[in-house]
Amino acid sequence: MKGTWKNPAIGSARADVVLIAPEAGAPLLFIEADNCTEEAVLIAQKFDKYARFFQRQEKDTDGIEKPLWRTRRSTPACDEYERVHPPVLLVFHQVGQRYAKSQMARVADLTRHHWQGRWHPEAEHHSYDRCIPIVATTLEELREHGPAGPVFWRFGHDHRQPLLDAIGNARRDAYLARRRQAAREEERRRAEREAAQREARRPVCADCGQKFTDAKWEAIGYTRDWSKS
């Protein structure tokens, strides 16, 4: 993929709208609108362009090479587990003769290789590493329920959700939260074990039988077992 931000090359991805709203939890969202006049296969081909665009690497101002879209857009940093591309929202307006929901289903089928994740049974969540979260809705549903309503269908899901839920990965977030909690618990137990082992090594004064304070222990530079003195 070639071209620049100001002068994209022919065949580059060009969203109808680019939304950046980090304060609302949606730092970057590409929006494509369709009046149900375009063939589903042509809509699906746009995601080939998005995939090439998201994979394009450029050096940022810090001299580090990273995905081009990360050099110009406010986005959360990728983590060690997966590198998910920005979500793309398809909004269908029932003007043309093609039925909006049929269009959604057809586009979902044609773009499966871009959005389908990999199920991890041991962790009970999907991984969407290098996938494009694709979400669809209709203008009519948006008008009826508003942008915060459960009107967004994430390709691969079996129900509609509010936008932030649809573009997120709740099961993965819960799994990572459990891992972090388990790590904190293990760290707490390790600290307790080390504290107990250190306390067991604390020297005892041969004269009075009292254990040394930390200050006294450090001051004498303890090197032998005082309990045997």
Side-chain angles (χ1 to χ4, degrees):
M1 183 176 177
K2 300 180 180 179
T4 64
W5 282 100
K6 291 184 178 181
N7 298 296
I10 296 175
S12 299
R14 302 188 186 192
D16 293 320
V17 178
V18 178
L19 175 65
I20 304 174
E23 70 284 354
L28 179 60
L29 179 67
F30 293 88
I31 302 175
E32 293 281 347
D34 182 72
N35 287 327
C36 295
T37 57
E38 194 168 29
E39 293 182 12
V41 66
L42 296 179
I43 297 174
Q45 287 174 357
K46 295 180 180 180
F47 290 93
D48 296 333
K49 299 176 183 179
Y50 275 111
R52 291 193 296 271
F53 169 69
F54 292 146
Q55 292 167 5
R56 181 175 173 181
Q57 300 281 318
E58 293 284 348
K59 283 189 177 180
D60 203 350
T61 53
D62 57 8
I64 299 176
E65 191 172 77
K66 61 188 66 173
L68 177 62
W69 61 270
R70 286 190 175 276
T71 68
R72 295 296 185 92
R73 303 299 185 192
S74 174
T75 59
C78 60
D79 59 33
E80 61 181 297
Y81 301 102
E82 60 183 19
R83 289 151 294 221
V84 180
H85 296 317
V88 179
L89 169 62
L90 292 169
V91 180
F92 292 92
H93 182 26
Q94 193 66 64
V95 175
Q97 296 181 351
R98 293 180 171 86
Y99 186 47
K101 293 185 178 179
S102 296
Q103 285 284 85
M104 290 183 195
R106 180 61 176 151
V107 173
D109 185 56
L110 292 170
T111 59
R112 184 177 299 274
H113 58 292
H114 288 308
W115 56 259
Q116 188 170 48
R118 183 165 63 91
W119 177 250
H120 294 275
E122 72 287 353
E124 297 184 338
H125 74 86
H126 279 90
S127 170
Y128 296 100
D129 189 41
R130 295 181 177 85
C131 292
I132 303 174
I134 305 177
V135 181
T137 189
T138 67
L139 186 59
E140 290 71 25
E141 289 177 311
L142 286 173
R143 285 172 173 169
E144 181 179 355
H145 301 285
V151 299
F152 299 92
W153 176 44
R154 168 79 173 262
F155 288 179
H157 289 192
D158 59 3
H159 60 287
R160 283 170 166 70
Q161 302 169 277
L163 179 60
L164 297 185
D165 293 337
I167 65 177
N169 191 345
R171 286 180 175 176
R172 173 182 174 272
D173 293 343
Y175 167 72
L176 294 180
R178 292 194 299 270
R179 280 189 50 160
R180 289 190 292 267
Q181 180 62 29
R184 286 192 294 267
E185 288 296 322
E186 178 56 31
E187 178 61 22
R188 180 185 62 79
R189 289 191 292 268
R190 184 190 64 79
E192 290 177 350
R193 287 195 301 270
E194 291 181 352
Q197 292 168 358
R198 184 175 186 276
E199 195 61 27
R201 296 194 304 270
R202 185 181 295 274
V204 176
C205 177
D207 295 328
C208 67
Q210 296 292 318
K211 287 187 176 183
F212 281 23
T213 63
D214 287 343
K216 184 175 182 180
W217 192 1
E218 182 179 353
I220 66 170
Y222 176 70
T223 58
R224 62 191 180 92
D225 188 350
W226 286 79
S227 65
K228 297 180 181 178
S229 298

